[in-house]
Amino acid sequence: MSSLTNQNIFTVSRLNAEVRLLLENEMGIVWLVGEISNFSAPVSGHWYLTLKDSRAQVKCAMFRGNNRRVTFKPQNGNQVLVKARLSLYEPRGDYQLIIDSMQPEGDGRLQQQFEELKMKLAAEGLFAQTNKRPLPEHPQTVGIITSKTGAALFDILDVLKRRDPSLPVVIYPTMVQGEEAAIQIAQAIGRANSRNECDVLIVGRGGGSLEDLWCFNNEVLARTIAASQIPIISAVGHEVDVTIADFVADMRAPTPSAAAELVSRDNSHKDQAFNARQHKLISAMRHYLSEQKQQATSLLHRLDRQHPNNQLQRQSQQLDELNARLQRAITQLLRSHQHKIERQQHKMALYSPVKRLAAQQASLQRLEQKLLDAMDRKLLNTRHQLALAAEKLDTVSPLATLKRGYSITQNQSGQVISHVSQTKTGDTLVTRLSDGEIHSTVN
């Protein structure tokens, strides 16, 4: 026992704080599917719920700044997909999830798969502008890969007939919806390359839901488009529909009709060249903005883990819990007084006159009013204390101090160095700045 130092002995508060930091910093962002139960939405605007499956459950909180973006009203029994960060509610020592976003399970899973494949292929360079093949300035033969009965085919043919009726067209009919569609489209691209009978390909279909267009988010199809020796124009859905095929193709057209205009000539062929360059620039800008958005999202997650607002959120959650406990205590106290009054009324019915009963009822009303006034004062005082704590936390935030040019130097034990006498030759020091750390050795 004598070998222990003060730093080896934890208080419960310090232990919970250390565990919370470990959970938040080590786990990062997690995706979770589960069924909602015990859903609660108090007047603070925050949501509290439990996510469960057949064998386990976890408590969750979603603060009002994030739940305002949820497009549906969660209910007990809903299956949802959430993006969250792991944390710990220190006053009770309960680990919980802080939810950033929530979607119904079906739509959420497809969107998550889309984002994961998009990031994977982007990291491999399949979206890079340097890998894009230029479209022929004056195509000699156009290949069309789409459904032979779909409206997209007739829209493309109508535009080509109007603008350049002499342009030869080769149609490669495939399915454009369902489980087998992606493989059929990839095979059609392979046939067009092996036959070498056209110098540009239009791949696409008309608009539809995310599920209808899902075959164009297939990894095999994306790699087939990237490997094609024939330049490919992706023309899937409408202007607002975006698929993986759009990112990996050499050119993206907002509609099938627009793709037909890109490959056909008319009296304004100079405008066509301008439009092609404009579409190419837009595609490059979208790719650049997508990369910048991913980087910004990553930086926001890092900032969120260190932001003082997290402390405010935890205190707000604690305030909601204290409010609920106060309400329960008041209800229990009122019930106790009600029982006493009932007993007094029974005695009065046997021994007391009517005036005494009226006095007891008036006393009960005064007690109830006092309890309500005490509750209001308690809630007002608690909110005032929370506001003062938030203001004080923001004032003394170490991050704000570091950004003004200050730094904090610690030794390997985590002790802050404020005097030269606290160091000796060979010590390793860690100096924390606003944007990182510097490790140094005392000479």
Side-chain angles (χ1 to χ4, degrees):
M1 192 68 183
S2 59
S3 61
L4 290 175
T5 65
N6 289 336
Q7 291 184 345
N8 298 129
I9 302 174
F10 282 76
T11 63
V12 175
S13 299
R14 180 186 166 198
L15 176 64
N16 284 352
E18 294 287 345
V19 172
R20 178 181 62 79
L21 291 176
L22 278 174
L23 289 173
E24 292 180 351
N25 294 331
E26 295 299 326
M27 289 295 295
I29 299 298
V30 297
W31 291 87
L32 189 71
V33 170
E35 177 185 333
I36 293 178
S37 65
N38 300 323
F39 181 80
S40 173
V43 294
S44 64
H46 308 316
W47 291 350
Y48 303 104
L49 58 131
T50 300
L51 285 179
K52 66 179 183 178
D53 57 22
S54 60
R55 294 185 295 178
Q57 63 181 19
V58 61
K59 293 182 179 179
C60 307
M62 190 173 193
F63 298 111
R64 62 186 177 189
N66 291 325
N67 63 36
R68 288 172 180 169
R69 299 193 297 268
V70 178
T71 58
F72 68 101
K73 179 62 176 177
Q75 295 180 350
N76 290 332
N78 288 159
Q79 286 285 338
V80 294
L81 173 72
V82 302
K83 183 176 74 171
R85 52 187 173 83
L86 209 56
S87 185
L88 181 133
Y89 184 52
E90 295 180 28
R92 286 199 307 266
D94 292 341
Y95 100 89
Q96 63 180 3
L97 289 178
I98 305 299
I99 298 175
D100 291 334
S101 66
M102 178 187 296
Q103 304 175 66
E105 180 184 1
D107 294 344
R109 282 186 180 274
L110 290 181
Q111 189 63 36
Q112 182 189 13
Q113 293 172 17
F114 176 87
E115 295 295 338
E116 289 175 350
L117 180 58
K118 178 182 171 183
M119 293 179 63
K120 175 182 176 181
L121 298 182
E124 295 181 18
L126 266 68
F127 302 162
Q129 200 62 34
T130 54
N131 294 331
K132 306 292 185 184
R133 292 168 292 273
L135 300 183
E137 186 174 356
H138 303 297
Q140 302 302 309
T141 304
V142 176
I144 304 173
I145 299 177
T146 189
S147 170
K148 62 182 179 181
T149 60
L153 175 61
F154 297 102
D155 290 343
I156 294 172
L157 294 178
D158 285 344
V159 173
L160 294 179
K161 181 179 179 181
R162 172 173 52 84
R163 291 171 57 87
D164 194 354
S166 63
L167 180 63
V169 175
V170 179
I171 300 174
Y172 304 90
T174 69
M175 295 175 62
V176 291
Q177 184 174 334
E179 295 181 358
E180 300 179 5
I183 299 302
Q184 287 194 15
I185 296 171
Q187 291 172 343
I189 294 173
R191 284 198 302 274
N193 276 267
S194 62
R195 293 178 185 176
N196 197 25
E197 55 193 358
C198 54
D199 49 6
V200 64
L201 284 172
I202 298 175
V203 178
R205 57 155 287 165
S209 66
L210 180 62
E211 291 83 356
D212 294 339
L213 306 180
W214 190 249
C215 63
F216 292 93
N217 294 320
N218 182 276
E219 183 175 357
V220 173
L221 176 57
R223 296 188 184 278
T224 302
I225 293 174
S228 172
Q229 297 301 309
I230 302 174
I232 293 179
I233 301 175
S234 175
V236 181
H238 304 299
E239 176 73 30
V240 296
D241 298 320
V242 180
T243 66
I244 296 297
D246 294 332
F247 289 109
V248 76
D250 301 294
M251 178 73 68
R252 185 222 179 205
T255 63
S257 297
E261 293 182 359
L262 286 174
V263 299
S264 58
R265 295 179 293 176
D266 62 7
N267 293 332
S268 57
H269 61 276
K270 291 183 179 180
D271 290 339
Q272 174 187 343
F274 173 80
N275 290 334
R277 291 187 177 91
Q278 184 182 43
H279 282 295
K280 189 173 183 179
L281 178 60
I282 291 174
S283 178
M285 285 301 298
R286 282 177 175 160
H287 176 60
Y288 174 77
L289 291 175
S290 176
E291 291 181 337
Q292 293 300 310
K293 182 179 178 181
Q294 291 175 4
Q295 184 177 1
T297 300
S298 176
L299 292 174
L300 281 175
H301 287 323
R302 289 178 55 190
L303 178 61
D304 184 62
R305 289 196 297 268
Q306 303 174 11
H307 201 280
N309 187 50
N310 289 337
Q311 179 71 17
L312 294 179
Q313 289 178 345
R314 288 190 292 273
Q315 291 182 349
S316 179
Q317 181 179 355
Q318 188 175 8
L319 177 60
D320 286 336
E321 181 172 304
L322 291 173
N323 185 26
R325 289 171 58 187
L326 181 58
Q327 293 282 2
R328 290 194 297 269
I330 291 173
T331 301
Q332 185 177 358
L333 187 57
L334 287 174
R335 286 176 181 173
S336 176
H337 280 282
Q338 183 65 32
H339 290 324
K340 291 181 179 178
I341 294 300
E342 290 174 356
R343 289 195 297 270
Q344 290 294 332
Q345 287 175 342
H346 179 69
K347 291 180 179 179
M348 290 169 64
L350 296 175
Y351 307 109
S352 301
V354 176
K355 290 184 178 180
R356 188 170 181 181
L357 175 60
Q360 290 293 337
Q361 289 176 337
S363 176
L364 173 61
Q365 291 177 352
R366 288 193 297 274
L367 286 173
E368 289 179 348
Q369 186 60 46
K370 286 182 179 181
L371 285 173
L372 291 175
D373 292 343
M375 180 183 69
D376 290 340
R377 289 194 299 272
K378 178 65 176 178
L379 289 176
L380 181 62
N381 184 49
T382 303
R383 289 194 178 98
H384 180 66
Q385 290 178 352
L386 178 60
L388 291 176
E391 182 179 358
K392 183 177 180 181
L393 177 62
D394 186 62
T395 303
V396 301
S397 172
L399 296 178
T401 303
L402 294 178
K403 288 182 179 179
R404 294 198 298 268
Y406 292 91
S407 64
I408 299 174
T409 301
Q410 299 173 295
N411 59 24
Q412 288 181 306
S413 300
Q415 182 182 7
V416 175
I417 302 301
S418 58
H419 300 285
V420 174
S421 61
Q422 293 179 260
T423 65
K424 63 180 182 295
T425 301
D427 283 353
T428 298
L429 303 180
V430 179
T431 301
R432 183 176 180 185
L433 306 174
S434 63
D435 58 350
E437 296 180 347
I438 298 175
H439 293 258
S440 58
T441 303
V442 176
N443 291 328

